[in-house]
Protein backbone atom coordinates (compact mmCIF):
# COMPACT_ATOMS: atom_id res chain seq x y z
CA UNK A 1 0.00 0.00 0.00
CA UNK A 2 1.23 3.51 -0.84
CA UNK A 3 3.02 4.95 2.18
CA UNK A 4 2.77 8.52 0.88
CA UNK A 5 -0.70 9.05 2.32
CA UNK A 6 -1.72 9.38 5.96
CA UNK A 7 -5.06 9.87 7.68
CA UNK A 8 -5.77 13.20 9.34
CA UNK A 9 -7.13 13.03 12.86
CA UNK A 10 -10.39 14.95 13.24
CA UNK A 11 -11.32 13.95 16.80
CA UNK A 12 -9.91 11.42 19.25
CA UNK A 13 -11.56 8.58 17.33
CA UNK A 14 -12.47 10.03 13.91
CA UNK A 15 -10.07 10.37 10.98
CA UNK A 16 -10.30 11.91 7.54
CA UNK A 17 -9.32 9.24 5.01
CA UNK A 18 -10.51 10.86 1.79
CA UNK A 19 -8.76 12.03 -1.36
CA UNK A 20 -7.81 15.33 -2.93
CA UNK A 21 -8.59 15.85 -6.60
CA UNK A 22 -6.53 18.82 -7.70
CA UNK A 23 -7.10 18.20 -11.41
CA UNK A 24 -10.88 17.99 -11.89
CA UNK A 25 -12.32 21.00 -13.70
CA UNK A 26 -15.70 19.71 -14.87
CA UNK A 27 -18.25 18.09 -12.60
CA UNK A 28 -21.16 17.14 -14.87
CA UNK A 29 -21.27 20.58 -16.41
CA UNK A 30 -20.17 22.51 -13.31
CA UNK A 31 -16.78 24.20 -13.61
CA UNK A 32 -14.65 23.26 -10.60
CA UNK A 33 -11.74 25.62 -11.03
CA UNK A 34 -10.43 24.90 -7.52
CA UNK A 35 -10.72 21.13 -7.81
CA UNK A 36 -12.53 19.13 -5.14
CA UNK A 37 -12.14 16.60 -2.36
CA UNK A 38 -13.87 13.28 -1.83
CA UNK A 39 -14.17 13.09 1.93
CA UNK A 40 -14.38 9.73 3.64
CA UNK A 41 -14.16 9.26 7.41
CA UNK A 42 -12.92 6.42 9.59
CA UNK A 43 -14.48 6.07 13.04
CA UNK A 44 -12.30 3.98 15.34
CA UNK A 45 -13.68 1.85 18.16
CA UNK A 46 -13.99 -1.82 18.98
CA UNK A 47 -15.46 -2.21 15.47
CA UNK A 48 -14.09 0.45 13.07
CA UNK A 49 -16.59 2.13 10.74
CA UNK A 50 -16.01 3.78 7.35
CA UNK A 51 -18.29 6.68 6.42
CA UNK A 52 -18.59 6.89 2.61
CA UNK A 53 -15.83 6.12 0.15
CA UNK A 54 -14.26 8.03 -2.74
CA UNK A 55 -14.33 8.22 -6.51
CA UNK A 56 -13.20 4.87 -7.90
CA UNK A 57 -9.75 5.92 -9.14
CA UNK A 58 -8.86 7.28 -5.70
CA UNK A 59 -9.41 3.94 -3.95
CA UNK A 60 -5.63 3.35 -3.41
CA UNK A 61 -5.24 6.76 -1.77
CA UNK A 62 -8.17 6.14 0.60
CA UNK A 63 -6.89 2.69 1.51
CA UNK A 64 -3.41 4.04 2.17
CA UNK A 65 -4.83 6.62 4.57
CA UNK A 66 -6.86 3.93 6.35
CA UNK A 67 -3.77 1.74 6.60
CA UNK A 68 -1.93 4.53 8.40
CA UNK A 69 -4.45 4.08 11.26
CA UNK A 70 -5.49 0.43 11.16
CA UNK A 71 -5.50 -2.67 9.00
CA UNK A 72 -8.37 -2.07 6.52
CA UNK A 73 -9.55 -5.61 7.28
CA UNK A 74 -10.52 -4.39 10.75
CA UNK A 75 -13.34 -2.25 9.33
CA UNK A 76 -16.58 -3.97 10.26
CA UNK A 77 -19.19 -1.51 8.99
CA UNK A 78 -19.55 0.89 6.08
CA UNK A 79 -22.14 3.68 6.00
CA UNK A 80 -23.04 4.99 2.55
CA UNK A 81 -24.81 8.33 2.87
CA UNK A 82 -25.07 8.98 -0.87
CA UNK A 83 -24.91 6.66 -3.88
CA UNK A 84 -23.48 9.15 -6.38
CA UNK A 85 -20.29 7.77 -7.90
CA UNK A 86 -17.94 10.37 -6.46
CA UNK A 87 -18.77 8.95 -3.01
CA UNK A 88 -19.61 5.34 -3.83
CA UNK A 89 -17.36 4.63 -6.80
CA UNK A 90 -14.82 2.85 -4.60
CA UNK A 91 -17.46 0.99 -2.60
CA UNK A 92 -17.31 -2.35 -4.49
CA UNK A 93 -13.51 -2.44 -4.18
CA UNK A 94 -13.75 -1.50 -0.52
CA UNK A 95 -16.29 -4.21 0.23
CA UNK A 96 -14.09 -6.77 -1.53
CA UNK A 97 -11.01 -5.63 0.39
CA UNK A 98 -12.39 -5.33 3.93
CA UNK A 99 -15.32 -7.80 3.88
CA UNK A 100 -17.45 -5.82 6.37
CA UNK A 101 -20.18 -7.31 8.51
CA UNK A 102 -22.68 -4.89 6.97
CA UNK A 103 -23.07 -1.91 4.67
CA UNK A 104 -25.76 0.58 5.69
CA UNK A 105 -27.66 3.00 3.46
CA UNK A 106 -31.11 4.53 3.24
CA UNK A 107 -33.86 2.38 1.72
CA UNK A 108 -33.47 4.23 -1.57
CA UNK A 109 -29.70 4.02 -1.16
CA UNK A 110 -29.92 0.24 -1.04
CA UNK A 111 -31.84 0.32 -4.31
CA UNK A 112 -29.47 2.81 -5.96
CA UNK A 113 -26.29 0.99 -4.91
CA UNK A 114 -27.68 -2.35 -6.02
CA UNK A 115 -28.61 -0.91 -9.41
CA UNK A 116 -25.30 0.94 -9.77
CA UNK A 117 -22.98 -1.91 -8.92
CA UNK A 118 -25.11 -5.08 -8.98
CA UNK A 119 -23.73 -5.89 -5.56
CA UNK A 120 -24.35 -9.38 -4.27
CA UNK A 121 -23.39 -8.38 -0.74
CA UNK A 122 -26.31 -7.48 1.45
CA UNK A 123 -26.74 -3.74 1.92
CA UNK A 124 -28.96 -3.04 4.87
CA UNK A 125 -31.49 -0.24 4.95
CA UNK A 126 -31.73 2.13 7.88
CA UNK A 127 -34.97 3.97 8.53
CA UNK A 128 -35.38 7.71 8.79
CA UNK A 129 -34.73 8.66 12.42
CA UNK A 130 -33.33 5.24 13.31
CA UNK A 131 -30.62 4.93 15.95
CA UNK A 132 -28.12 2.14 15.62
CA UNK A 133 -25.28 0.97 17.85
CA UNK A 134 -22.38 -0.18 15.72
CA UNK A 135 -19.92 -1.65 18.14
CA UNK A 136 -19.50 0.97 20.83
CA UNK A 137 -20.60 3.85 18.57
CA UNK A 138 -24.16 5.17 18.33
CA UNK A 139 -25.39 6.64 15.06
CA UNK A 140 -28.64 8.35 14.13
CA UNK A 141 -29.77 8.49 10.51
CA UNK A 142 -31.82 11.20 8.84
CA UNK A 143 -33.09 10.91 5.28
CA UNK A 144 -32.56 14.04 3.22
CA UNK A 145 -34.31 12.93 0.06
CA UNK A 146 -33.53 14.99 -3.04
CA UNK A 147 -30.71 16.82 -1.28
CA UNK A 148 -29.64 16.18 -3.80
CA UNK A 149 -30.45 12.57 -4.83
CA UNK A 150 -33.44 10.46 -3.77
CA UNK A 151 -31.21 8.22 -1.64
CA UNK A 152 -29.45 11.01 0.27
CA UNK A 153 -29.17 10.78 4.04
CA UNK A 154 -26.96 12.16 6.81
CA UNK A 155 -25.45 10.28 9.73
CA UNK A 156 -24.94 11.66 13.24
CA UNK A 157 -22.30 10.27 15.60
CA UNK A 158 -23.75 11.08 18.99
CA UNK A 159 -20.66 10.74 21.17
CA UNK A 160 -18.67 13.22 19.11
CA UNK A 161 -21.53 15.40 17.89
CA UNK A 162 -20.44 14.99 14.28
CA UNK A 163 -22.98 15.28 11.49
CA UNK A 164 -21.66 13.48 8.42
CA UNK A 165 -23.69 15.50 5.95
CA UNK A 166 -22.73 13.95 2.56
CA UNK A 167 -23.24 16.73 -0.02
CA UNK A 168 -24.95 18.96 2.52
CA UNK A 169 -23.03 22.13 3.48
CA UNK A 170 -20.19 21.21 1.16
CA UNK A 171 -18.41 22.80 -1.78
CA UNK A 172 -16.02 21.90 -4.57
CA UNK A 173 -12.75 23.10 -3.13
CA UNK A 174 -9.45 21.25 -2.94
CA UNK A 175 -6.89 22.52 -0.45
CA UNK A 176 -4.21 21.31 1.93
CA UNK A 177 -6.29 22.83 4.73
CA UNK A 178 -8.90 20.44 6.13
CA UNK A 179 -10.95 22.90 8.19
CA UNK A 180 -13.08 25.82 7.08
CA UNK A 181 -11.57 28.15 9.70
CA UNK A 182 -8.16 27.68 8.05
CA UNK A 183 -9.39 29.10 4.75
CA UNK A 184 -10.19 32.69 3.64
CA UNK A 185 -13.83 33.58 4.25
CA UNK A 186 -14.28 35.07 0.77
CA UNK A 187 -13.19 31.83 -0.89
CA UNK A 188 -15.51 29.82 1.35
CA UNK A 189 -18.42 32.10 0.50
CA UNK A 190 -17.71 32.03 -3.22
CA UNK A 191 -17.41 28.25 -3.45
CA UNK A 192 -20.29 27.54 -1.08
CA UNK A 193 -22.65 29.83 -3.00
CA UNK A 194 -21.52 28.41 -6.34
CA UNK A 195 -22.13 24.88 -5.03
CA UNK A 196 -25.59 25.76 -3.72
CA UNK A 197 -26.58 27.55 -6.91
CA UNK A 198 -25.49 24.78 -9.24
CA UNK A 199 -26.62 21.77 -7.21
CA UNK A 200 -29.16 22.70 -4.54
CA UNK A 201 -31.09 25.59 -6.09
CA UNK A 202 -33.79 23.33 -7.59
CA UNK A 203 -34.41 21.88 -4.12
CA UNK A 204 -34.57 25.16 -2.22
CA UNK A 205 -37.89 24.28 -0.61
CA UNK A 206 -36.42 21.07 0.81
CA UNK A 207 -33.33 22.93 2.02
CA UNK A 208 -35.55 25.45 3.77
CA UNK A 209 -37.38 22.65 5.56
CA UNK A 210 -34.17 20.89 6.57
CA UNK A 211 -32.63 24.07 7.99
CA UNK A 212 -35.81 24.87 9.93
CA UNK A 213 -36.07 21.29 11.24
CA UNK A 214 -32.45 20.93 12.38
CA UNK A 215 -32.84 22.78 15.72
CA UNK A 216 -35.74 20.48 16.67
CA UNK A 217 -34.01 17.18 16.00
CA UNK A 218 -32.10 17.03 19.26
CA UNK A 219 -28.74 16.92 17.51
CA UNK A 220 -25.93 18.71 19.33
CA UNK A 221 -23.77 19.41 16.32
CA UNK A 222 -20.19 20.22 17.22
CA UNK A 223 -18.83 19.45 13.75
CA UNK A 224 -20.20 19.33 10.20
CA UNK A 225 -18.32 16.84 8.04
CA UNK A 226 -19.45 17.02 4.39
CA UNK A 227 -18.27 14.82 1.53
CA UNK A 228 -16.81 17.73 -0.46
CA UNK A 229 -14.68 20.62 0.73
CA UNK A 230 -13.62 21.60 4.25
CA UNK A 231 -14.91 20.38 7.60
CA UNK A 232 -16.77 22.90 9.77
CA UNK A 233 -15.53 22.54 13.37
CA UNK A 234 -16.21 25.87 15.10
CA UNK A 235 -19.74 26.56 16.30
CA UNK A 236 -19.78 30.03 14.76
CA UNK A 237 -18.71 28.57 11.42
CA UNK A 238 -21.34 25.82 11.62
CA UNK A 239 -23.98 28.49 12.27
CA UNK A 240 -22.54 30.54 9.42
CA UNK A 241 -22.85 27.85 6.73
CA UNK A 242 -26.25 26.62 7.94
CA UNK A 243 -27.43 30.25 7.97
CA UNK A 244 -26.19 30.78 4.42
CA UNK A 245 -28.05 27.72 3.22
CA UNK A 246 -31.17 28.94 4.97
CA UNK A 247 -30.93 32.37 3.36
CA UNK A 248 -30.17 30.99 -0.10
CA UNK A 249 -33.10 28.57 0.13
CA UNK A 250 -35.47 31.57 0.35
CA UNK A 251 -34.22 32.89 -3.02
CA UNK A 252 -35.00 36.44 -1.99
CA UNK A 253 -34.67 38.89 -4.89
CA UNK A 254 -32.20 41.74 -4.67
CA UNK A 255 -31.49 44.78 -6.79
CA UNK A 256 -28.80 42.90 -8.65
CA UNK A 257 -29.19 42.06 -12.33
CA UNK A 258 -27.32 39.36 -14.23
CA UNK A 259 -26.95 39.96 -17.96
CA UNK A 260 -25.50 37.09 -19.95
CA UNK A 261 -25.15 37.04 -23.71
CA UNK A 262 -23.11 35.98 -26.68
CA UNK A 263 -22.46 37.98 -29.79
CA UNK A 264 -21.41 37.35 -33.39
CA UNK A 265 -20.25 40.76 -34.60
CA UNK A 266 -20.60 42.84 -31.45
CA UNK A 267 -24.15 44.12 -31.89
CA UNK A 268 -25.73 42.06 -29.10
CA UNK A 269 -22.77 43.00 -26.89
CA UNK A 270 -23.50 46.71 -27.54
CA UNK A 271 -27.13 46.13 -26.57
CA UNK A 272 -26.07 44.39 -23.33
CA UNK A 273 -23.79 47.27 -22.41
CA UNK A 274 -26.50 49.88 -23.03
CA UNK A 275 -29.04 47.88 -20.99
CA UNK A 276 -26.55 47.70 -18.12
CA UNK A 277 -26.24 51.50 -18.12
CA UNK A 278 -29.98 51.84 -17.63
CA UNK A 279 -29.89 49.37 -14.78
CA UNK A 280 -27.01 51.15 -13.08
CA UNK A 281 -28.74 54.50 -13.45
CA UNK A 282 -31.79 52.90 -11.83
CA UNK A 283 -29.81 51.95 -8.73
CA UNK A 284 -29.05 48.32 -9.52
CA UNK A 285 -25.80 46.45 -9.33
CA UNK A 286 -25.05 44.64 -12.57
CA UNK A 287 -23.05 41.57 -13.49
CA UNK A 288 -22.38 41.58 -17.23
CA UNK A 289 -21.38 38.09 -18.37
CA UNK A 290 -20.22 37.59 -21.97
CA UNK A 291 -20.29 33.85 -22.59
CA UNK A 292 -17.04 33.95 -24.51
CA UNK A 293 -15.38 34.31 -21.11
CA UNK A 294 -18.00 33.14 -18.56
CA UNK A 295 -19.04 29.56 -17.77
CA UNK A 296 -22.63 28.42 -17.28
CA UNK A 297 -21.97 27.52 -13.65
CA UNK A 298 -20.64 31.02 -12.97
CA UNK A 299 -23.86 32.49 -14.41
CA UNK A 300 -25.86 30.27 -12.05
CA UNK A 301 -23.73 31.34 -9.10
CA UNK A 302 -24.23 35.04 -9.84
CA UNK A 303 -27.95 34.50 -10.31
CA UNK A 304 -28.40 32.94 -6.85
CA UNK A 305 -28.59 36.29 -5.06
CA UNK A 306 -29.85 38.37 -7.97
CA UNK A 307 -33.32 39.69 -8.71
CA UNK A 308 -33.15 39.92 -12.50
CA UNK A 309 -32.02 37.71 -15.35
CA UNK A 310 -31.48 39.22 -18.80
CA UNK A 311 -30.51 36.91 -21.66
CA UNK A 312 -29.15 38.17 -24.97
CA UNK A 313 -28.55 36.30 -28.21
CA UNK A 314 -28.07 37.01 -31.88
CA UNK A 315 -30.21 34.90 -34.20
CA UNK A 316 -28.41 32.09 -35.98
CA UNK A 317 -30.17 29.60 -38.26
CA UNK A 318 -33.53 30.91 -37.03
CA UNK A 319 -32.63 30.12 -33.45
CA UNK A 320 -30.69 30.96 -30.31
CA UNK A 321 -26.90 31.15 -30.40
CA UNK A 322 -25.58 27.76 -29.15
CA UNK A 323 -23.75 29.05 -26.08
CA UNK A 324 -26.82 31.01 -24.95
CA UNK A 325 -29.12 28.04 -25.52
CA UNK A 326 -26.75 25.93 -23.43
CA UNK A 327 -26.93 28.31 -20.47
CA UNK A 328 -30.71 28.73 -20.73
CA UNK A 329 -31.21 24.97 -20.75
CA UNK A 330 -28.94 24.66 -17.72
CA UNK A 331 -30.68 27.46 -15.80
CA UNK A 332 -34.12 26.07 -16.61
CA UNK A 333 -33.15 22.88 -14.79
CA UNK A 334 -31.95 24.85 -11.75
CA UNK A 335 -35.40 26.48 -11.37
CA UNK A 336 -34.47 29.96 -10.10
CA UNK A 337 -37.32 31.73 -8.34
CA UNK A 338 -38.46 35.28 -7.59
CA UNK A 339 -36.68 36.85 -10.55
CA UNK A 340 -37.61 39.43 -13.15
CA UNK A 341 -36.49 38.50 -16.64
CA UNK A 342 -36.29 39.73 -20.19
CA UNK A 343 -34.52 38.93 -23.45
CA UNK A 344 -32.84 40.84 -26.23
CA UNK A 345 -30.68 40.40 -29.30
CA UNK A 346 -29.54 41.55 -32.68
CA UNK A 347 -30.50 39.82 -35.93
CA UNK A 348 -30.02 40.07 -39.67
CA UNK A 349 -33.29 38.89 -41.17
CA UNK A 350 -35.30 36.41 -39.05
CA UNK A 351 -34.88 37.66 -35.49
CA UNK A 352 -36.33 34.59 -33.76
CA UNK A 353 -33.76 34.26 -30.94
CA UNK A 354 -35.11 36.93 -28.58
CA UNK A 355 -38.62 35.48 -28.75
CA UNK A 356 -37.34 31.96 -28.16
CA UNK A 357 -35.44 33.19 -25.13
CA UNK A 358 -38.65 34.77 -23.88
CA UNK A 359 -40.33 31.35 -24.12
CA UNK A 360 -37.54 29.92 -21.97
CA UNK A 361 -38.20 32.60 -19.37
CA UNK A 362 -41.92 31.80 -19.39
CA UNK A 363 -41.15 28.12 -18.83
CA UNK A 364 -38.97 29.15 -15.88
CA UNK A 365 -41.89 31.16 -14.42
CA UNK A 366 -39.85 34.36 -14.39
CA UNK A 367 -41.80 37.59 -14.36
CA UNK A 368 -41.12 39.26 -17.70
CA UNK A 369 -40.82 43.01 -17.93
CA UNK A 370 -42.04 43.88 -21.37
CA UNK A 371 -41.59 42.31 -24.79
CA UNK A 372 -38.27 40.94 -26.07
CA UNK A 373 -36.10 43.69 -27.54
CA UNK A 374 -34.81 43.02 -31.07
CA UNK A 375 -32.49 45.21 -33.10
CA UNK A 376 -31.75 44.63 -36.78
CA UNK A 377 -28.08 44.50 -37.65
CA UNK A 378 -25.97 47.13 -35.84
CA UNK A 379 -27.80 49.18 -33.18
CA UNK A 380 -27.82 52.92 -33.88
CA UNK A 381 -28.19 55.61 -31.24
CA UNK A 382 -31.98 55.26 -31.23
CA UNK A 383 -31.73 51.52 -30.67
CA UNK A 384 -29.14 51.95 -27.92
CA UNK A 385 -31.42 54.48 -26.22
CA UNK A 386 -34.20 51.84 -26.27
CA UNK A 387 -31.78 49.39 -24.70
CA UNK A 388 -30.93 51.84 -21.94
CA UNK A 389 -34.65 52.43 -21.37
CA UNK A 390 -35.17 48.67 -21.05
CA UNK A 391 -32.51 48.63 -18.34
CA UNK A 392 -34.31 51.45 -16.55
CA UNK A 393 -37.59 49.55 -16.81
CA UNK A 394 -36.04 46.44 -15.28
CA UNK A 395 -34.52 48.55 -12.50
CA UNK A 396 -37.97 49.94 -11.67
CA UNK A 397 -39.49 46.45 -11.68
CA UNK A 398 -36.75 45.28 -9.33
CA UNK A 399 -37.30 48.20 -7.00
CA UNK A 400 -40.97 47.24 -6.70
CA UNK A 401 -40.19 43.53 -6.30
CA UNK A 402 -37.67 44.16 -3.53
CA UNK A 403 -39.84 46.63 -1.63
CA UNK A 404 -41.21 45.33 1.69
Amino acid sequence: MNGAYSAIRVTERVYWVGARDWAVRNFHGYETDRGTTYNAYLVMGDKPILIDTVKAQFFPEMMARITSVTDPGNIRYIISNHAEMDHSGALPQTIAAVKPEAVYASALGVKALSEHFHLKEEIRAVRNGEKLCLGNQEFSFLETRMLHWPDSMVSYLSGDGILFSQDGFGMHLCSTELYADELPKDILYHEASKYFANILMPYSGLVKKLVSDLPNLGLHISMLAPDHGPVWRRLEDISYIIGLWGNWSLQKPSRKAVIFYDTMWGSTASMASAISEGLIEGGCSVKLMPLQSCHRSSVAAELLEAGALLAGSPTINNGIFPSVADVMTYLKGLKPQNKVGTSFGSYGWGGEAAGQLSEFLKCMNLEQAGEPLKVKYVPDQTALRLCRELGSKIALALQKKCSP
Side-chain angles (χ1 to χ4, degrees), residues 178-245:
L178 179 63
Y179 298 105
D181 54 272
E182 298 174 322
L183 291 158
K185 206 66 169 283
D186 60 330
I187 290 177
L188 291 173
Y189 187 90
H190 175 81
E191 296 300 342
S193 62
K194 186 177 181 181
Y195 189 85
F196 189 99
N198 283 274
I199 294 178
L200 281 308
M201 193 190 297
Y203 315 112
S204 290
L206 295 172
V207 173
K208 180 182 176 182
K209 184 177 186 307
L210 174 64
V211 170
S212 64
D213 287 349
L214 272 178
N216 305 316
L217 296 175
L219 306 180
H220 303 287
I221 302 171
S222 60
M223 185 176 290
L224 268 177
D227 276 356
H228 289 300
V231 173
W232 306 85
R233 64 177 174 180
R234 299 194 312 188
L235 292 180
E236 59 265 40
D237 293 329
I238 293 169
S239 296
Y240 170 73
I241 188 61
I242 292 176
L244 286 180
W245 271 48

Side-chain angles (χ1 to χ4, degrees), residues 90 104 137 153 177 189 202 221 235 247-248 254 322 330-331:
Y104 293 99
Q137 319 288 354
M153 72 174 188
E177 296 80 15
Y189 187 90
I221 302 171
L235 292 180
N247 288 335
W248 291 329
S254 71
Y330 187 74
L331 294 179

